[in-house]
Amino acid sequence: GDQVEQSPSALSLHEGTGSALRCNFTTTMRAVQWFRKNSRGSLINLFYLASGTKENGRLKSAFDSKERYSTLHIRDAQLEDSGTYFCAAETGGYKVVFGSGTRLLVSP
Amino acid sequence: ETAVFQTPNYHVTQVGNEVSFNCKQTLGHDTMYWYKQDSKKLLKIMFSYNNKQLIVNETVPRRFSPQSSDKAHLNLRIKSVEPEDSAVYLCASSSGTGVSAETLYFGSGTRLTVL
């Protein structure tokens, strides 16, 4: 069955606002990664977390393996943040399972 | 900066033909992967290799066969394509410490269309 449940599937934000994406896991995961699909369709790494939180500019991610979830917070959203975001979780043994993605649209 | 190279970018073929996709990484990673992204944009893992050894094989039809000549290359062959094989195939690599996969780096994908 599906091991990674990502929400929301779509999100609209006005410039300057923020929100959070979330992935829930049906089992304990070793680590989580967050990706953004760029304009050329390539998956770009945003974060890799085995635990705790990481921050990079206007993005912040958290991973709690015990509670089985990860979040990606976006603050002060900009137009160029629009795109599709994916979480991916390691179940172990080099198996990395993806969420279904969140389509983010940032408007003026 | 691209470090996982996939060829071709696009391929159109007919049902029953054989196709082969190439993937090369220049990151010195030990682990490589193939993912399939379907029409709903869902990414499903197909295979992962660590140091040329098959580690993960996710109930993929037998017409799919990965081929690894060395740890920098992982090709994907489809012996007799079917319409449901139309998708984007994404190759990735990671440093894979043996405890965890570590960060995945993706190529730009190969879009397969089966007529």
Side-chain angles (χ1 to χ4, degrees), chain B residues 12-61:
Chain B
V12 181
T13 191
Q14 296 193 330
V15 170
N17 285 350
E18 177 175 316
V19 299
S20 189
F21 305 146
N22 300 316
C23 181
K24 170 187 171 182
Q25 54 95 3
T26 59
L27 295 164
H29 287 163
D30 289 336
T31 309
M32 295 186 72
Y33 310 77
W34 278 104
Y35 280 82
K36 179 181 179 181
Q37 186 172 38
D38 61 21
S39 57
K40 295 181 181 177
K41 307 298 183 188
L42 296 173
L43 276 137
K44 297 282 175 70
I45 187 166
M46 300 175 70
F47 303 102
S48 67
Y49 265 69
N50 178 260
N51 273 315
K52 295 168 51 181
Q53 299 295 316
L54 179 65
I55 302 297
V56 172
N57 182 343
E58 281 293 298
T59 60
V60 177

Side-chain angles (χ1 to χ4, degrees), chain A residues 16 26-27 39 49 53 73:
Chain A
T26 57
T27 186
S39 57
L49 298 100
T53 63
H73 291 259

Side-chain angles (χ1 to χ4, degrees), chain B residues 11-16 19 81-87 112-115:
Chain B
H11 190 79
V12 181
T13 191
Q14 296 193 330
V15 170
V19 299
V81 296
E82 298 187 6
E84 60 263 33
D85 298 338
S86 294
L112 173 66
T113 301
V114 180
L115 302 175

